Amino acid sequence: DGGITQSPKYLFRKEGQNVTLSCEQNLNHDAMYWYRQDPGQGLRLIYYSQIVNDFQKGDIAEGYSVSREKKESFPLTVTSAQKNPTAFYLCASSIVFASGAYNEQFFGPGTRLTVL
Amino acid sequence: AQSVAQPEDQVNVAEGNPLTVKCTYSVSGNPYLFWYVQYPNRGLQFLLKYITGDNLVKGSYGFEAEFNKSQTSFHLKKPSALVSDSALYFCAVVPGGSYIPTFGRGTSLIVHP
């Protein structure tokens, strides 16, 4: 089955620690995205990547970092510089057409990060 | 810059009644419009989209949405609500030529038995 997997489902972090959230897709999608979801605030874009070895900051990139070494993988690191990291994190992917047309996103099941 | 408004934080409807979840948008050029649904502690699932063509779009689980260019709206509708439709619904807009969607804040749909 094709899809997006995120791990772990739940993650606990102590103050001052960096943690890495995994996102893997086998849909052969070029574009991948990381969102943060807080109650009542919808989805806010952290980082996105259209191709391997290239990524751009989204609206709330401070305190986060990503890499895109493989097409299938787009891990997100939440650094100690992120002041309020407790949230639900969603990874998504989509096809990028050469024409520039856009298609819908496919989402992973999410990772709930809690800072202790 | 584009924006999406979902004016209702919560919509309550009785099972069997029609439902509407509202969405208005602001974007330059011709937009791509989407609806997604999210069940508790899960990722978003795609429901339907408008790219071009017929203004009435039909999607998954009996949902449909009507694109109204003059009112810049894309309201989600279903003729007969089910209790299992209770979830969080998100509207999203993507300007033509972009691949970065802007999401609304979400509307919680509660269908009462």
Side-chain angles (χ1 to χ4, degrees):
Chain A
D1 288 336
I4 300 181
T5 57
Q6 291 185 242
S7 62
K9 188 173 178 64
Y10 298 96
L11 185 58
F12 299 90
R13 191 194 93 170
K14 294 181 180 179
E15 295 277 355
Q17 278 185 335
N18 292 355
V19 291
T20 297
L21 283 59
S22 169
C23 177
E24 303 278 334
Q25 55 101 355
N26 61 4
L27 300 167
N28 200 33
H29 287 172
D30 290 298
M32 297 188 75
Y33 312 75
W34 273 105
Y35 293 95
R36 170 177 172 145
Q37 185 177 19
D38 296 282
Q41 295 198 43
L43 274 65
R44 292 185 289 169
L45 183 63
I46 305 173
Y47 269 98
Y48 59 98
S49 167
Q50 188 177 6
I51 57 173
V52 174
N53 292 322
D54 186 53
F55 47 83
Q56 281 77 44
K57 294 181 179 180
D59 300 319
I60 56 163
E62 184 175 354
Y64 301 97
S65 66
V66 294
S67 63
R68 187 88 187 273
E69 298 177 359
K70 300 185 298 182
K71 188 175 184 178
E72 312 81 57
S73 179
F74 192 42
L76 173 74
T77 297
V78 184
T79 75
S80 57
Q82 170 49 236
K83 299 305 179 187
N84 184 22
T86 294
F88 191 52
Y89 291 86
L90 288 164
C91 180
S93 70
S94 67
I95 296 172
V96 177
F97 295 106
S99 63
Y102 175 83
N103 213 7
E104 66 271 16
Q105 290 178 316
F106 290 75
F107 284 82
T111 292
R112 188 166 296 281
L113 173 63
T114 302
V115 174
L116 302 174
Chain B
Q2 63 267 24
S3 65
V4 175
Q6 294 183 240
E8 301 154 316
D9 290 336
Q10 185 172 303
V11 170
N12 291 278
V13 65
E15 188 174 31
N17 284 0
L19 69 88
T20 298
V21 182
K22 296 179 180 178
C23 172
T24 58
Y25 65 91
S26 173
V27 67
S28 57
N30 295 320
Y32 301 151
L33 294 158
F34 301 82
W35 275 102
Y36 294 86
V37 60
Q38 184 182 33
Y39 297 98
N41 296 310
R42 303 286 294 275
L44 277 66
Q45 297 175 33
F46 168 73
L47 276 180
L48 50 79
K49 64 185 174 186
Y50 173 82
I51 304 297
T52 187
D54 194 350
N55 289 343
L56 184 63
V57 178
K58 294 188 183 295
S60 306
Y61 312 118
F63 284 94
E64 58 188 31
E66 186 167 11
F67 172 63
N68 187 318
K69 188 172 183 178
S70 62
Q71 297 186 7
T72 61
S73 67
F74 190 56
H75 300 332
L76 181 70
K77 300 182 179 184
K78 187 174 182 181
S80 178
L82 300 172
V83 172
S84 57
D85 292 331
S86 299
L88 190 57
Y89 290 82
F90 288 96
C91 181
V93 64
V94 182
S98 169
Y99 64 101
I100 307 300
T102 296
F103 286 85
R105 293 162 65 95
T107 297
S108 177
L109 172 66
I110 299 175
V111 181
H112 302 277

